[in-house]
Amino acid sequence: MKKIKTHVEEWFSDIPESESKQAIQEEIIQNLEEKVFDLVRSGKSEEDAINKTIVEFGDISDIKQELGVKDGKPASSRKQFGLHLGFSLWGSGLIIALFLFINVYYTPDVIWFVYPTFAVAWWPLVMFYKWLGWK
């Protein structure tokens, strides 16, 4: 079953070493070996059983995504949330500017835009904490 182990190691070669990676690798190898034994017992040759098992296993992109790898590269959650933070800051600024304009244009003698501003300010605040890595 060296071929299966080699194949699984190739699949996981772009994932940084971790305990979860090792555990998932071992589980996949065990499951694939069991499937090969079942196919050999049903009359297939060992080589055919190994090839069929590998082909039927399919794509491991979901497993890689679970381990934090995206498109062959480790996912940078800080960079991702930095983008979300920037978007939320710009979006909040535009919404607050709209409220300010409506307030000044339609009811200049009553200052009410401050109240929705507090509500809108939660969006970038949440993204800031996500960017810091707090949960």
Side-chain angles (χ1 to χ4, degrees):
M1 299 299 164
K2 180 89 171 148
K3 185 174 181 180
I4 288 180
K5 187 173 183 176
T6 305
H7 231 78
V8 172
E9 286 175 359
E10 284 178 24
W11 287 339
F12 287 88
S13 63
D14 58 345
I15 299 173
E17 291 297 323
S18 68
E19 289 180 24
S20 59
K21 173 189 170 182
Q22 292 296 327
I24 291 175
Q25 253 182 320
E26 290 171 9
E27 184 177 344
I28 289 173
I29 290 170
Q30 182 182 3
N31 290 339
L32 292 177
E33 287 176 350
E34 287 176 9
K35 173 116 177 163
V36 168
F37 287 133
D38 289 342
L39 290 172
V40 168
R41 272 188 254 141
S42 69
K44 286 211 177 274
S45 70
E46 186 175 342
E47 187 68 27
D48 287 342
I50 290 172
N51 290 335
K52 182 175 175 138
T53 302
I54 290 171
V55 168
E56 284 182 357
F57 188 76
D59 191 26
I60 65 163
S61 61
D62 293 337
I63 297 169
K64 286 184 176 184
Q65 195 172 32
E66 184 179 317
L67 289 172
V69 174
K70 188 174 181 180
D71 299 329
K73 298 176 187 167
S76 171
S77 61
R78 187 161 173 94
K79 184 177 179 182
Q80 177 187 13
F81 283 118
L83 183 64
H84 294 316
L85 175 62
F87 179 74
S88 68
L89 286 170
W90 276 102
S92 298
L94 290 173
I95 292 169
I96 291 169
L98 176 67
F99 283 133
L100 177 64
F101 170 75
I102 292 171
N103 185 174
V104 170
Y105 189 76
Y106 289 108
T107 55
D109 49 331
V110 179
I111 299 176
W112 56 263
F113 83 94
V114 176
Y115 303 113
T117 298
F118 285 120
V120 172
W122 285 105
W123 180 23
L125 185 64
V126 168
M127 289 297 114
F128 176 70
Y129 285 125
K130 285 287 212 177
W131 179 70
L132 287 177
W134 295 3
K135 299 208 178 195

